[in-house]
Amino acid sequence: MRNLFLGASAACLAAFASSAALADEGMWTYDNFPAAQVKATYGVTLDKAWLDHVQANAVRLSTGCSASVVSAQGLVLTNHHCVSDCAQDLSTATSDHLKTGYVIANREEERTCPGMQAEVLLSIKDVTDTVKSAASGKAGGEFVKARNAAIADIERTNCAGKEAVQTCQVVNLYQDGQYKLYTFRKFSDVRLVFAPELATAFFGGDPDNFNFPRYDLDMSFVRLYENGKPVATPGHLVWNPAPPKDGELTIVAGNPGTTNRLLTADQLAFLRDVSFPMTLTQLAELRGRLIEFGKRGPEQQRVASHELFGIENSYKVYVGQLQALSGPGFLDGKRQADAELKAKVAADPKLAAATGDPWAKIAAVQTERAGLYAPYVLLEGRAGFFSPLYGYAVELVRAAQERAKPNTERLPEYADARLPLLEKEITDAKPVDKDLNQLQIEFWLLKVREVLTADAPQTKLLLGKDSPETIAARLAGSTLADPAVRKALWDGGLPAIQASKDPLIQYVLATDGAARAARKAYEERVTGPSGQAAQKIAAARFAVYGDKVYPDATFSPRLSYGKVAGWTYRGQTVPYATTFKGLWERATGQDPFALAPRWEAARGKLSDDTVFDFVTTNDITGGNSGSPVLNAKGEVIGAAFDGNIHSLGGAFAYDGSINRTVVASTAAATEAFVKVYGQQALVDELLGKPFKKGGR
């Protein structure tokens, strides 16, 4: 399927004709799951007890991934690429866990993942009226400020005194249509238990990414600890090692990252014409620089490999999404859907009077947005281009400045409820390669000069009379790679920041005003007006379609339902599953189709017909990585790790005939853990057998 063009299908365009979800479509919140629709379609009853059990064991990771509790001792299943940062951080020049895997003998060898936090949803509370009333009558930047202040106060009040064990987050749903307070139980001590080799988890590399057939064991495990001991989780999800059955019901419980299905046609056109082309150009160039960096030597190749994986993955996602938006008739279908909703609103005089014409307001905003977008992205959104040291400097400076303000007057990411995780991410020890960090800062400054031009005041502020290369080399002298330095600056607050002689801290203090100004302008002229208009559209959509509408993804807990199923596209039928036999046939001995040594040694030990990976019709997107795939009994039968090439258009619409979720099966994992990795204790734990001292 690697060469099939990703385009908008007739079914996908037809989905625009109504905002009500189609069968198998939707990333549903726990408090609005369409159990009746599942019953009607699949004959399976998923009652409140079933949903509560899943909710209590579905995990959100601060790495931007999903996971699930699968044993009585706090064992958590996720994807390899969700813990690859951790594996990289725990590696050294002589111990490369991405290359050889993280395979240990007992719990004493489980090591803390720096900066990682796990969260489990406890409750959902509607706070829409409180947030909307706080921002009522305000416009532009004042609207954003009032909304953020209300959210910060709600989060602080509801978690007051419980910050050590809980996180409170107000989740924006339906493009400012609803606000819900999500309260999570958090775990700050998350330790790596098992990770296969990158060559195994990502067998087939970029050529196979977002494609199927797949032969990847993209599974890893971490464990939740508290007070130095594994957390007791007796009500965990059950691990089912049986293979999936074609056509059986599947539920995915995860945290889908971002979709744009509720945007207007004008907003989508902006993504197609302005946002995506700029992003793709910059990612492509950065990818080339990382590849060249990796050619300097084995250590450079090691430290750059994870960054390169992320860039290549993002690049492919944006390519697929741009192709979907550019497909024949795609935006025409969205304009038709917008027109249908407008017509239904116009047919109800009372609703029409309350709604006005928010579509026209959003269209007008896009003109403003075009001029503000590049400065906002380069100075704020992607400033530093993933440089960890620059990121530390900005967070330290802004946290010190914002913490000096009342909670409700801060930038939202520095509100009281967000500070514990931010402090952990800043102060936990993580290795930093200074040469790679220098490359990232240099690339960022080159893009600022190229896109904003050398004459722009922001460029002059950032560069002065120096070149990007000169400044990046000077900033390489920063001491922020030392966690003790970061800890001292965090604890010392604004006085420590102002007194610091660190070149990166000084640089951010001198230049961050330009980034704040770009952000303020964007919020006043884009975010604020768009949010107000979106509230009107959301209210109209609720009035017309009721609760049959699901919200766009926001990296918050969701459920999707579907079934195990292959697909047919342009006359080519793709079976629903692959097997170990297919892996041996696909292996060539050359990257990215080279087997890890353990797997070469296991030839003949594994059953050829064991299901390796499979696909389902579940509606997912980025952020769902690591999500448990459950059967009707709520048992884990796999971990979602990818989508097929058609699913990339799922950012804007879902087509159940060809959109597929790609899943690593528990059947393959159970067999491989024992026969390839010698991890019998891990399998025993997954199957609920008694814990033996010295094991897991």
Side-chain angles (χ1 to χ4, degrees), residues 164-441:
V165 295
Q166 288 188 6
T167 298
C168 288
Q169 178 190 1
V170 173
V171 176
N172 182 335
L173 301 171
Y174 300 101
Q175 305 290 341
D176 286 285
Q178 279 185 357
Y179 301 92
K180 298 287 186 76
L181 172 66
Y182 280 52
T183 302
F184 296 88
R185 175 69 165 88
K186 74 176 181 182
F187 301 91
S188 298
D189 186 354
V190 181
R191 305 187 189 184
L192 188 59
V193 174
F194 171 83
E197 313 87 345
L198 179 61
T200 300
F202 197 47
F203 180 83
D206 189 59
D208 274 1
N209 196 20
F210 295 110
N211 286 295
F212 197 80
R214 293 292 286 277
Y215 304 90
D216 295 1
L217 187 67
D218 198 347
M219 280 188 181
S220 291
F221 294 92
V222 294
R223 194 183 304 279
L224 308 179
Y225 277 74
E226 205 162 46
N227 300 319
K229 297 180 180 179
V231 175
T233 50
H236 62 90
L237 298 175
V238 172
W239 177 275
N240 184 341
K245 297 178 181 177
D246 193 10
E248 75 169 303
L249 173 70
T250 51
I251 304 292
V252 171
N255 301 273
T258 302
T259 54
N260 294 300
R261 298 178 187 178
L262 298 183
L263 294 186
T264 69
D266 291 301
Q267 289 171 310
L268 293 176
F270 179 88
L271 296 180
R272 181 194 64 186
D273 300 337
V274 180
S275 176
F276 286 1
M278 174 180 167
T279 298
L280 280 167
T281 299
Q282 293 173 357
L283 288 178
E285 183 176 343
L286 182 56
R287 176 179 61 178
R289 288 175 179 261
L290 289 173
I291 290 172
E292 289 304 309
F293 181 86
K295 292 178 180 179
R296 297 181 188 178
E299 180 61 7
Q300 287 84 354
Q301 195 280 329
R302 182 185 73 82
V303 299
S305 62
H306 182 61
E307 291 292 332
L308 183 60
F309 170 84
I311 295 299
E312 288 183 332
N313 187 70
S314 296
Y315 183 82
K316 201 162 190 176
V317 168
Y318 281 112
V319 166
Q321 292 183 359
L322 182 58
Q323 287 179 336
L325 286 176
S326 303
F330 194 93
L331 279 185
D332 289 341
K334 180 57 180 172
R335 293 190 189 281
Q336 178 184 342
D338 288 349
E340 179 183 298
L341 180 55
K342 290 181 193 179
K344 290 181 181 294
V345 170
D348 182 337
K350 184 177 180 180
L351 180 60
T355 303
D357 192 359
W359 294 272
K361 291 181 180 179
I362 285 179
V365 164
Q366 303 316 304
T367 301
E368 291 269 13
R369 190 180 181 188
L372 296 169
Y373 183 74
Y376 173 72
V377 169
L378 288 168
L379 300 176
E380 179 72 2
R382 284 198 291 270
F385 262 92
F386 319 115
S387 154
L389 296 188
Y390 183 82
Y392 285 142
V394 171
E395 298 289 20
L396 285 165
V397 169
R398 288 192 177 179
Q401 294 169 338
E402 296 296 308
R403 284 187 293 166
K405 304 174 184 178
N407 182 52
T408 55
E409 295 180 13
R410 301 175 193 168
L411 295 175
E413 59 267 37
Y414 302 99
D416 284 338
R418 313 292 175 90
L419 291 179
L421 177 56
L422 180 61
E423 179 180 4
K424 176 179 175 58
E425 291 173 337
I426 289 174
T427 59
D428 276 7
K430 291 172 68 74
V432 175
D433 185 89
K434 290 193 173 184
D435 290 339
L436 179 57
N437 185 81
Q438 182 175 335
L439 178 152
Q440 291 164 319
I441 293 178

Side-chain angles (χ1 to χ4, degrees), residues 400 403 488-498:
R403 284 187 293 166
L489 289 170
W490 176 274
D491 292 342
L494 193 54
I497 291 293
Q498 292 173 332

Side-chain angles (χ1 to χ4, degrees), residues 282 378-379 383-385 442-454 456 458-460 462-463 468:
Q282 293 173 357
L378 288 168
L379 300 176
F385 262 92
E442 178 183 306
F443 177 77
W444 165 53
L445 293 174
L446 284 166
K447 294 301 103 180
V448 168
R449 187 176 65 184
E450 172 189 308
V451 177
L452 302 186
T453 77
Q458 300 98 323
T459 306
K460 291 179 178 179
L462 289 170
L463 296 181

Side-chain angles (χ1 to χ4, degrees), residues 570-649:
R570 293 182 176 175
Q572 182 176 350
T573 298
V574 181
Y576 75 90
T578 60
T579 64
F580 282 139
K581 181 180 179 181
L583 172 67
W584 311 129
E585 294 172 347
R586 199 171 189 80
T588 65
Q590 299 182 37
D591 288 333
F593 301 104
L595 294 171
R598 286 190 183 93
W599 285 79
E600 284 287 5
R603 283 182 183 265
K605 298 179 182 178
L606 299 168
S607 302
D608 280 352
D609 59 354
T610 297
V611 171
F612 199 163
D613 295 333
F614 62 98
V615 290
T616 73
T617 63
N618 290 87
D619 189 4
I620 71 167
T621 192
N624 272 118
S625 291
S627 296
V629 178
L630 311 172
N631 61 16
K633 295 180 180 179
E635 300 167 334
V636 179
I637 61 171
F641 71 91
D642 205 358
N644 66 354
I645 195 70
H646 307 288
S647 70
L648 294 175

